[in-house]
Amino acid sequence: MKFICKILAILLLFPILSSKAQNLEQNLGSTKSIIEYQSPMNDDIYVPQQTTLIIRSSKQVRQNRKPSDLSFEVHGDISGDHFGKVIISDDNLTVIFKSDIPFSLNENVHVKFQILGAENIAPILYSFRITPMSEVERIQALVALSGREQEENETAMKQAAKEIQASILPMGTDTVAGFPAVVVIDTVTTHEEGNIFFSPTGKFPSPYSFLGIISDTGTSTLFERDIAIGCGNFRMQPDGTLTFFRQLFNAPIGGIFFGRIEHLDAHMKLIDTFQCGNGFIADLHDFQLLPNGHAILVAYDPQRVNMKDTLLAQKNLKDSLLALKADTNEILFGAIIQELDNQKNVVFQWRSWDHFHITDATRDIHLVPANPADTFIDYMHINAAISDPKDGNIIASFRHCDEVSKINRENGSFVWRWGGKHNMFTFSGPNPSDTLQFSHQHDPVRILNGHITLFDNGNLHTKIIADTVATVPSTRAIEYDLDEIQHTAKVVWQYDSLPFCAAAGNTQRLPNGNTMIGLGIITEPSAVEVTPEGKKVFQLSIQKGAFSYRTYRYPFTPLSSVRLSGEANSFDLASIYPNPAQNQTTISFSVKNPGMMQIDLLDVLGHTVRSVTDKLSDAGAYTADINVYGLASGTYYCKLSQGSNTAMKIVVVQK
């Protein structure tokens, strides 16, 4: 069926940013200029019960003011007056109000924010509406969507297996002990140094999921088997630590909408966890630690929407799949991007409800449930959100809209929109195919030369066959020279000798100029490394029935090659203070058994830069000083050892 995208009035429940800004200006009057960012915005709907209130003011307004100078009067039409805690974030500009109790479902909330003692600054008045969906309903929707996503991935994997004859290279085949995987390597041509990071999840022949680090010889460097529920996106962060997504217990195997981020040290020990704030739940698709210690996470936001209220009179509506659902209640999945500060307060939140229309989806099948008995519409499918090192704004990918967007991290507005129905760029390149826009893409990354690499799944790529435009899916890894002023997207490199990958995948530019390409749901091969000239130099295949969302190569070897047993240590590394440290820091620890204690300070690659040795004659509590004078600013590991037992904490050196 042909979808006629001409709507007389769109999305009463999805106002775009400009209308919100206009309403906000009318409410704030002369105070508008003092507010740089606000969440929730005036007239927002679908706000979760546990939301915090965020206001970022100009530096002149916030200067030298304490939390006691900032007043929030918050009243819910059902829940009544709300009292809570006012927090100033570590940027000294963002003010956060945390209510002592949740708001009530489906109520209007009214806020008055004012700066006490500032008579020349008028109070800021705004209102928003709490979602009618309970937390239980929202979790049920996420779990159900995870199950549907897993079924779609399994179907795509089976279809790919029928279409692709295994192209495993005939050399170097080896089954890695303990891994349900096969590594195939071409060692004739030089590849980049480093180990391969992948995180397969599947349920054939039985449910399993693990974190894997393997060397170029196919030898297991380290593996973890205890992630039996589901994991993914196992990667190194800029500070040299590791993170991965762990699925929570009651989601289906392979589910991606329901979990948390776990943060590991160089021994693969858990040092921290990250979860979205404001009642949202983190998913697999992306996570990034920023240089200032903040973190960027993404989440899906299910909301029940009446399609009759959303899509008004439309010409030829009977010809659209939307006509089937024009007077029904559906659960739509919006997108959430959050930035957390060092105390894990939400200091920035972006919601698709404020900026996207449901009809921005590029396929009818993403505007209605895939199953007639279903009520879920995943019309956006956010699968990436990273801070652009060029300017600090956020680059995000929306798969079902065929769009990559840059989002202003100060106010949430679009800087540009690339691809999809709102494309602002002209595509060009030396080959005729370079004008072909990407489709259902993953993993946009700004690389060192300023260009952007992208994994173009190509689900909607077209070709002219016998004078007819036909959809011919094809996948490629691609590099663009993106002119953000003139709005041109020039293809400067691509590799398209790949099997069609319907979902997942990534493109990683390596230091020597090679490119590591993760093929998502494709298992044979699951990942390849190619030279700038397009020669394949490395190939990885994994067991059928599983897939690795992304695959990376990093110059990283864990400090321990043995799987940790989880047994309790005979000592405890209690604290490190000060941290960050400039010249010296002191560690506090306690021991149960006497013996030689070794204290080492390691850099992110595991090299020892400082050492202290002490023989303890008695059990008890101790302290030890570590000199960090002369060390470069950055992240280090304090490692405490006694015999075969070790403990580790992060130390930040800050000059």
Side-chain angles (χ1 to χ4, degrees):
M1 289 185 289
K2 184 178 180 182
F3 175 55
I4 308 299
C5 186
K6 184 176 180 182
I7 302 176
L8 299 179
I10 303 176
L11 302 173
L12 289 179
L13 299 182
F14 296 84
I16 63 175
L17 179 63
S18 59
S19 63
K20 282 185 171 293
Q22 183 178 4
N23 290 338
L24 185 59
E25 184 173 358
Q26 293 172 352
N27 280 275
L28 304 186
S30 62
T31 66
K32 177 178 180 293
S33 61
I34 74 169
I35 300 300
E36 296 180 351
Y37 171 76
Q38 176 184 335
S39 174
M41 297 172 65
N42 189 52
D43 292 336
D44 264 353
I45 55 177
Y46 308 138
V47 178
Q49 290 180 275
Q50 300 176 43
T51 191
T52 56
L53 311 184
I54 309 169
I55 289 181
R56 184 177 303 123
S57 58
S58 60
K59 291 183 179 179
Q60 304 92 304
V61 173
R62 272 289 306 117
Q63 191 171 11
N64 298 323
R65 298 191 187 277
K66 305 181 295 294
S68 57
D69 298 329
L70 309 170
S71 171
F72 283 87
E73 296 180 21
V74 183
H75 179 82
D77 286 349
I78 299 174
S79 57
D81 293 334
H82 283 251
F83 303 94
K85 186 177 182 180
V86 177
I87 300 169
I88 299 176
S89 181
D90 50 30
D91 63 4
N92 204 35
L93 296 173
T94 305
V95 182
I96 303 158
F97 174 81
K98 291 188 174 182
S99 176
D100 291 337
I101 59 172
F103 296 100
S104 295
L105 293 175
N106 209 27
E107 73 169 339
N108 286 313
V109 178
H110 311 279
V111 181
K112 177 181 179 181
F113 170 75
Q114 60 183 332
I115 300 175
L116 303 178
E119 292 79 8
N120 59 328
I121 301 177
I124 298 172
L125 307 175
Y126 61 99
S127 300
F128 53 87
R129 190 168 188 84
I130 301 299
T131 176
M133 286 187 68
S134 69
E135 184 174 352
V136 171
E137 291 177 299
R138 289 161 54 80
I139 290 176
Q140 289 173 343
L142 289 170
V143 171
L145 186 63
S146 291
R148 193 181 80 179
E149 183 78 9
Q150 175 66 11
E151 292 175 0
E152 292 176 358
N153 287 338
E154 289 171 5
T155 299
M157 283 190 286
K158 291 176 182 177
Q159 182 63 31
K162 292 179 181 179
E163 297 176 356
I164 301 172
Q165 295 297 321
S167 57
I168 299 178
L169 296 172
M171 61 179 70
T173 303
D174 182 28
T175 301
V176 180
F179 282 99
V182 176
V183 182
V184 183
I185 304 166
D186 177 0
T187 58
V188 176
T189 306
T190 302
H191 53 70
E192 179 60 273
E193 296 297 324
N195 293 328
I196 309 302
F197 284 59
F198 66 127
S199 40
T201 293
K203 62 179 183 181
F204 297 111
S206 61
Y208 68 90
S209 185
F210 65 90
L211 306 181
I213 304 176
I214 56 176
S215 69
D216 288 332
T217 62
T219 302
S220 170
T221 302
L222 180 142
F223 65 96
E224 285 275 353
R225 286 187 175 277
D226 62 349
I227 306 174
I229 302 300
C231 67
N233 204 13
F234 181 37
R235 65 185 304 177
M236 180 187 289
Q237 292 295 328
D239 66 357
T241 57
L242 307 174
T243 58
F244 73 98
F245 168 85
R246 181 192 286 269
Q247 188 176 312
L248 297 184
F249 176 74
N250 56 346
I253 290 293
I256 60 176
F257 304 95
F258 194 82
R260 70 183 184 191
I261 306 299
E262 300 203 351
H263 189 194
L264 308 176
D265 64 19
H267 270 298
M268 300 293 290
K269 282 190 174 182
L270 181 67
I271 54 177
D272 205 353
T273 62
F274 291 84
Q275 184 56 270
C276 289
N278 295 347
F280 296 107
I281 301 176
D283 74 30
L284 163 144
H285 283 105
D286 226 336
F287 174 81
Q288 184 183 25
L289 285 175
L290 303 179
N292 63 354
H294 290 204
I296 293 178
L297 301 90
V298 296
Y300 280 67
D301 184 16
Q303 298 292 342
R304 185 175 293 106
V305 176
N306 183 271
M307 300 299 283
K308 184 176 183 180
D309 294 335
T310 302
L311 297 163
L312 299 181
Q314 181 182 0
K315 290 184 178 180
N316 298 319
L317 184 62
K318 60 183 176 60
D319 296 328
S320 169
L321 290 175
L322 285 172
L324 301 175
K325 296 291 180 180
D327 194 19
T328 58
N329 290 315
E330 312 297 342
I331 294 179
L332 273 60
F333 289 84
I336 301 295
I337 302 173
Q338 289 185 346
E339 177 183 349
L340 308 184
D341 68 10
N342 284 282
Q343 303 303 315
K344 298 182 180 176
N345 301 306
V346 180
V347 293
F348 175 83
Q349 178 171 282
W350 183 92
R351 311 183 327 146
S352 61
W353 309 116
D354 303 326
H355 306 276
F356 272 83
H357 297 150
I358 182 177
T359 50
D360 288 343
T362 50
R363 303 177 72 184
D364 279 7
I365 61 172
H366 295 141
L367 301 177
V368 298
N371 186 320
D374 200 351
T375 61
F376 302 134
I377 299 179
D378 182 14
Y379 73 104
M380 294 191 60
H381 198 91
I382 185 172
N383 61 22
I386 61 169
S387 175
D388 186 350
K390 180 178 179 180
D391 55 19
N393 291 317
I394 292 174
I395 296 176
S397 171
F398 304 97
R399 169 178 165 87
H400 291 170
C401 297
D402 294 341
E403 178 176 330
V404 174
S405 307
K406 177 176 275 194
I407 296 167
N408 188 311
R409 204 153 121 223
E410 295 298 323
N411 56 34
S413 63
F414 286 121
V415 178
W416 44 252
R417 304 181 75 173
W418 181 26
K421 294 182 178 180
H422 300 277
N423 175 50
M424 299 167 59
F425 288 80
T426 300
F427 287 75
S428 66
N431 303 308
S433 63
D434 295 338
T435 60
L436 184 67
Q437 294 189 21
F438 49 78
S439 169
H440 281 39
Q441 71 293 330
H442 284 77
D443 193 35
V445 175
R446 177 84 67 179
I447 59 178
L448 289 178
N449 64 5
H451 296 171
I452 292 179
T453 56
L454 193 71
F455 186 78
D456 179 12
N457 294 80
N459 299 57
L460 301 185
H461 283 175
T462 59
K463 289 184 178 179
I464 297 178
I465 302 176
D467 297 326
T468 301
V469 178
T471 299
V472 182
S474 59
T475 297
R476 57 186 176 166
I478 193 162
E479 176 186 349
Y480 288 96
D481 181 359
L482 203 68
D483 188 326
E484 301 178 62
I485 304 300
Q486 300 301 321
H487 288 169
T488 60
K490 182 179 179 181
V491 175
V492 296
W493 179 88
Q494 66 174 305
Y495 181 80
D496 57 7
S497 299
L498 296 168
F500 168 57
C501 175
N506 69 296
T507 301
Q508 180 194 15
R509 181 59 46 83
L510 301 173
N512 70 348
N514 287 1
T515 303
M516 175 64 71
I517 304 170
L519 287 167
I521 64 168
I522 305 299
T523 61
E524 296 183 293
S526 177
V528 297
E529 180 183 339
V530 298
T531 67
E533 297 74 31
K535 179 175 177 57
K536 186 190 296 183
V537 295
F538 176 89
Q539 180 168 303
L540 165 71
S541 296
I542 62 176
Q543 180 173 314
K544 295 178 181 179
F547 76 96
S548 183
Y549 170 60
R550 293 176 178 173
T551 303
Y552 299 94
R553 183 190 287 278
Y554 295 119
F556 176 93
T557 301
L559 298 180
S560 172
S561 61
V562 180
R563 183 174 179 267
L564 300 175
S565 66
E567 294 178 359
N569 283 332
S570 60
F571 58 86
D572 176 54
L573 177 51
S575 66
I576 301 176
Y577 184 83
N579 192 9
Q582 288 186 327
N583 299 315
Q584 179 176 290
T585 189
T586 300
I587 70 168
S588 301
F589 60 95
S590 59
V591 295
K592 299 177 182 177
N593 303 315
M596 190 71 72
M597 298 297 300
Q598 178 72 33
I599 302 167
D600 296 304
L601 194 65
L602 313 175
D603 63 18
V604 294
L605 297 179
H607 302 136
T608 301
V609 296
R610 297 284 191 275
S611 290
V612 178
T613 302
D614 194 4
K615 184 177 182 180
L616 305 175
S617 58
D618 298 301
Y622 296 87
T623 62
D625 296 330
I626 301 178
N627 178 17
V628 299
Y629 180 79
L631 294 179
S633 296
T635 300
Y636 296 83
Y637 299 97
C638 178
K639 177 184 176 183
L640 189 63
S641 305
Q642 186 184 55
S644 62
N645 292 322
T646 61
M648 187 176 296
K649 285 184 180 291
I650 283 180
V651 180
V652 176
V653 175
Q654 192 174 77
K655 301 299 184 181

